[in-house]
Amino acid sequence: MERTDAATKTDAAPLLSVEGFSLDIAPGREYLPVLDDISLTVGAGEVVGLVGESGSGKSTLAMSLIGLVPKRISRQRGGRILFNGVDVTALPERDLRAIRGSQVGMIFQEPMTALDPAYRVGDQVAEVIRRHNGVSRAEARAQVIEDFRLVEISDPERRADAYPHELSGGLRQRVCIAMAIACRPSLLIADEPTTALDVTTQAQILDLLRRLRAEMDMSIVLISHDLAVIAEFCDRVMVMYAGQIVEQAPIDPFFVRPRHPYSSALLQSLPENQPPLQQLSVLRGSPPALGHVASGCRFAARCDFVQHGRCDVEPIPLRGLDGGAVRCVRAEELALPGVGE
Ligand SMILES: Nc1ncnc2c1ncn2[C@@H]1O[C@H](COP(=O)(O)OP(=O)(O)OP(=O)(O)O)[C@@H](O)[C@H]1O
Ligand SMILES: [Mg+2]
């Protein structure tokens, strides 16, 4: 019944809505908390960036959105993930598979996760199309060639017959994008789609994603370490720290006036904020190990603005502020520097 209720609300509801989602992962015997109280929304046609240090949980969150974290090593501690009003955490694998590919496409952090080295790339993309659309081999092949053109792969007939190792990194990433959009998803999740590429190819791939988004009216969740990429590409940004979202804001105010000390520290460490010939200022210390987070604010130990007795006592909730959200008790009283200060 819950599903029907949720479905009737979809007109007003965002495309994707995550509410208080927490996930534990057991790399060995013990479960460790990897995601904690994640809440976010992605509206139709919106491009949302996800940033945060390595290990903060970005890829795990991306995988959770389409039920790709293996159940045998994970345990959901709470919350739900509504896609078009349907809780994907409650769906059986078969229904998840139908959503993946057809409504949600994913570009993985490791391109070779998506591509099988033993098969021609054209056949691999055709397979995705056939699985979801039930078209003939010839029709699927024709769409592959068309999609390769769409993602600007030159000489698509020849490239479709190549094996992954015969293609450059940039071409492989274009094949992965073709695969992710083959069924014209309404949401594309792109996990560090340009990190492994040189600067020129990076810019080309971002241009391509921008064009596809406009043409296909997709929403995009873009994961990146690179705040410059986020600034250029996204409508809104979400900052992750130690498994939590610590700030969420529209892009322009975020860069001028971040509300969380961690966001401000990230912005301060951008190269354009540094005086010439000086070393990048880096955040002191390192993020907490999984399972060893502080009882209060998880960033408190590294924060220049920490107030003992206030910040380190109990968990800090994510609360709405100025059209965004922040997980800091001092947000209103701090005037934190952004870019260019
Ligand atoms: N399958 C898994 N088995 C064990 N640990 C895992 C697994 N998946 C994620 N983790 C752990 O969860 C934490 C978050 O990892 P995740 O890959 O989501 O981070 P990330 O923010 O994507 O990092 P990066 O920027 O390096 O890609 C890490 O400590 C990682 O070791
Ligand atoms: Mg990752």
Side-chain angles (χ1 to χ4, degrees):
M1 283 306 99
E2 207 182 306
R3 264 170 72 164
T4 325
D5 290 342
T8 55
K9 285 191 232 140
T10 50
D11 271 356
L15 179 68
L16 175 72
S17 165
V18 180
E19 299 170 356
F21 180 74
S22 300
L23 187 82
D24 298 339
I25 289 187
R29 275 202 198 152
E30 240 181 288
Y31 279 101
L32 298 169
V34 174
L35 297 177
D36 187 76
D37 188 30
I38 301 284
S39 292
L40 61 93
T41 59
V42 180
E46 203 182 13
V47 180
V48 177
L50 187 57
V51 287
E53 274 166 296
S54 188
S56 57
K58 304 181 298 294
S59 294
T60 309
L61 174 56
M63 303 271 213
S64 301
L65 298 179
I66 47 172
L68 275 181
V69 178
K71 289 236 163 35
R72 63 190 157 73
I73 60 153
S74 65
R75 176 176 75 185
Q76 189 179 337
R77 221 175 335 115
R80 40 184 211 161
I81 297 175
L82 301 174
F83 185 72
N84 273 327
V86 175
D87 186 0
V88 299
T89 66
L91 287 182
E93 181 57 30
R94 197 165 47 103
D95 295 357
L96 277 174
R97 232 176 295 152
I99 290 183
R100 259 179 242 145
S102 67
Q103 295 177 61
V104 186
M106 174 124 183
I107 304 169
F108 291 90
Q109 186 164 5
E110 282 290 320
M112 293 313 277
T113 321
L115 297 175
D116 189 326
Y119 293 91
R120 297 176 198 277
V121 293
D123 291 347
Q124 297 188 50
V125 179
E127 172 62 26
V128 173
I129 297 169
R130 272 164 62 78
R131 205 183 314 138
H132 287 284
N133 296 351
V135 295
S136 72
R137 253 171 228 289
E139 285 168 312
R141 168 82 183 184
Q143 201 202 311
V144 168
I145 301 303
E146 197 182 303
D147 282 358
F148 276 20
R149 278 207 186 91
L150 187 67
V151 299
E152 292 154 7
I153 295 178
S154 56
D155 201 357
E157 285 88 355
R158 186 167 64 86
R159 257 58 185 266
D161 289 334
Y163 291 91
H165 72 266
E166 296 175 316
L167 301 176
S168 67
L171 276 175
R172 269 205 295 264
Q173 194 58 298
R174 284 174 198 273
V175 170
C176 290
I177 295 171
M179 192 180 274
I181 61 158
C183 298
R184 305 299 184 260
S186 42
L187 173 67
L188 178 68
I189 303 169
D191 191 353
E192 305 271 10
T194 60
T195 307
L197 307 171
D198 63 80
V199 180
T200 316
T201 317
Q202 246 184 40
Q204 289 169 353
I205 295 287
L206 286 174
D207 278 344
L208 169 65
L209 287 175
R210 199 174 285 126
R211 210 195 78 220
L212 292 174
R213 177 225 173 178
E215 281 173 18
M216 297 166 56
D217 199 24
M218 284 184 298
S219 304
I220 299 182
V221 173
L222 176 74
I223 300 177
S224 178
H225 280 104
D226 191 336
L227 276 164
V229 168
I230 299 276
E232 211 190 309
F233 197 74
C234 300
D235 305 318
R236 207 147 52 79
V237 61
M238 299 178 296
V239 182
M240 282 192 78
Y241 185 79
Q244 295 181 326
I245 289 182
V246 294
E247 179 163 2
Q248 182 270 102
I251 207 80
D252 293 339
F254 176 80
F255 278 84
V256 181
R257 192 172 179 207
R259 307 308 299 250
H260 196 286
Y262 176 62
S263 312
S264 179
L266 282 182
L267 292 170
Q268 293 303 293
S269 61
L270 283 174
E272 58 262 40
N273 258 357
Q274 301 297 319
L277 302 178
Q278 200 167 311
Q279 277 214 315
L280 289 188
S281 80
V282 283
L283 279 162
R284 63 190 161 83
S286 46
L290 285 180
H292 291 89
V293 292
S295 49
C297 170
R298 296 185 173 192
F299 186 61
R302 301 170 79 187
C303 184
D304 290 337
F305 305 93
V306 64
Q307 277 186 343
H308 296 293
R310 195 167 163 214
C311 300
D312 50 5
V313 181
E314 51 190 35
I316 314 294
L318 184 72
R319 63 199 166 83
L321 182 68
D322 290 346
V326 66
R327 203 183 274 277
C328 171
V329 289
R330 302 200 61 200
E332 283 89 347
E333 64 202 68
L334 299 173
L336 299 167
V339 169
E341 286 179 58

